């Protein structure tokens, strides 16, 4: 079974290639960014977990007061810092952190972002508990997650084989319904569930949850 250190090493190893890969559905990505901006305010303090190489954090930074973007991969964070320096964006801080084990200050963020990451968490219950703790009352968790259970069944065979040879990290097979139940169990009220793909069947729901 993959543990946090194993997952971090996996993402460290592929970080530079990941950074150079183009976004497969730019139209869908832009629709998601537009919807996220709808929920953000200029004075917001925002947390992102699983930020990767920082692309999304840097695009959203102008919409908020400050953004703390985190990832378990030190190589991903190094690339994100390079991008921030190159683009001259000063209100984003990049840190190495795992949501399962990070104790952020209570009620310190107006919004928390998690894109393409909920299915990669080793302990989603603990991670979501930490995130809820860090959100202010009424704060929002904005997510977009690949739901492998809603995709081609071949993934259920291929992914475990890839994991056996170190070619894939920890992955949970979730459906959109599973995600909503997981968020509700963690104490979030579902505000929105939408799909933003430009074409074809979309198995990556955009889900917004509110901390009561």
């Amino acid at each position: 079974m993959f543990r946090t250190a194993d997952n971090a090493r996996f993402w460290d190893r592929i970080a530079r290639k990941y950074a150079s890969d183009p976004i497969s559905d730019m139209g869908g990505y832009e629709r998601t960014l537009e919807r996220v901006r709808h929920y953000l305010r200029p004075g917001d303090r925002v947390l992102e977990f699983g930020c990767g190489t920082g692309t999304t954090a840097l695009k959203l930074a102008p919409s908020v007061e400050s953004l703390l973007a985190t990832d378990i991969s030190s190589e991903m964070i190094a690339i994100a810092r390079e991008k921030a320096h190159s683009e001259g964006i000063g209100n984003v801080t990049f840190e190495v952190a795992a949501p399962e084990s990070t104790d952020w200050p209570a009620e310190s963020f107006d919004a928390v972002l998690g894109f393409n990451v909920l299915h990669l968490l080793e302990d989603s219950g603990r991670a979501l508990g930490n995130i809820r703790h860090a959100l202010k009352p009424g704060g929002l968790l904005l997510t977009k997650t690949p739901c492998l259970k809603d995709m081609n069944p071949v993934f259920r065979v291929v992914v475990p084989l890839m994991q056996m040879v170190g070619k894939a990290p920890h992955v949970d097979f979730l459906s959109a319904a599973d995600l909503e139940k997981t968020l509700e169990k963690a104490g979030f009220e579902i505000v929105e569930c939408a799909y933003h793909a430009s074409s074809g069947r979309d198995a990556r729901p955009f889900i917004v949850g509110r901390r009561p």
Side-chain angles (χ1 to χ4, degrees):
M1 180 181 295
F2 269 67
R3 306 313 310 166
T4 299
D6 298 311
N7 284 312
R9 282 191 290 270
F10 171 85
W11 292 110
D12 284 346
R13 191 167 63 248
I14 70 165
R16 293 289 166 179
K17 180 182 183 303
Y18 179 90
S20 66
D21 286 343
I23 294 172
S24 58
D25 180 1
M26 184 57 74
Y29 177 65
E30 292 292 347
R31 273 188 286 278
T32 297
L33 289 178
E34 181 181 359
R35 196 60 187 153
V36 172
R37 292 187 185 104
H38 167 80
Y39 285 105
L40 299 179
R41 298 165 298 181
D44 281 351
R45 298 181 67 240
V46 178
L47 167 70
E48 183 181 7
F49 63 101
C51 70
T53 59
T55 298
T56 298
L58 295 172
K59 286 182 178 294
L60 294 173
S63 301
V64 301
E65 179 178 312
S66 65
L67 201 159
L68 171 60
T70 68
D71 199 277
I72 64 170
S73 166
S74 60
E75 288 297 320
M76 294 280 191
I77 292 298
I79 295 169
R81 288 171 177 165
E82 292 170 9
K83 289 182 180 180
H85 178 74
S86 175
E87 297 177 27
I89 297 177
N91 67 329
V92 180
T93 301
F94 291 101
E95 293 183 358
V96 177
E100 297 95 328
S101 58
T102 302
D103 186 20
W104 290 292
E107 300 181 3
S108 54
F109 296 103
D110 300 284
V112 176
L113 316 176
F115 304 118
N116 301 309
V117 67
L118 286 180
H119 64 308
L120 301 175
L121 299 178
E122 292 184 47
D123 188 339
S124 60
R126 176 174 293 183
L128 290 170
N130 289 342
I131 289 163
R132 188 182 186 281
H133 176 76
L135 272 171
K136 297 176 182 179
L140 299 175
L141 171 62
L142 300 101
T143 69
K144 187 174 182 178
T145 310
C147 291
L148 274 68
K149 193 183 286 187
D150 294 335
M151 296 181 184
N152 192 318
V154 73
F155 282 111
R156 301 190 190 189
V157 176
V158 172
V159 171
L161 292 175
M162 293 177 67
Q163 289 171 328
M164 289 176 62
V165 295
K167 298 295 185 182
H170 169 87
V171 178
D172 284 334
F173 285 80
L174 303 169
S175 66
D178 292 334
L179 274 177
E180 291 198 36
K181 289 177 183 177
T182 297
L183 292 173
E184 289 171 343
K185 184 177 179 181
F188 292 93
E189 298 174 350
I190 304 301
V191 174
E192 178 179 348
C193 182
Y195 293 86
H196 298 156
S198 298
S199 62
R201 185 185 179 205
D202 192 350
R204 294 198 303 157
F206 172 74
I207 301 178
V208 181
R210 176 185 287 117
R211 175 186 169 174

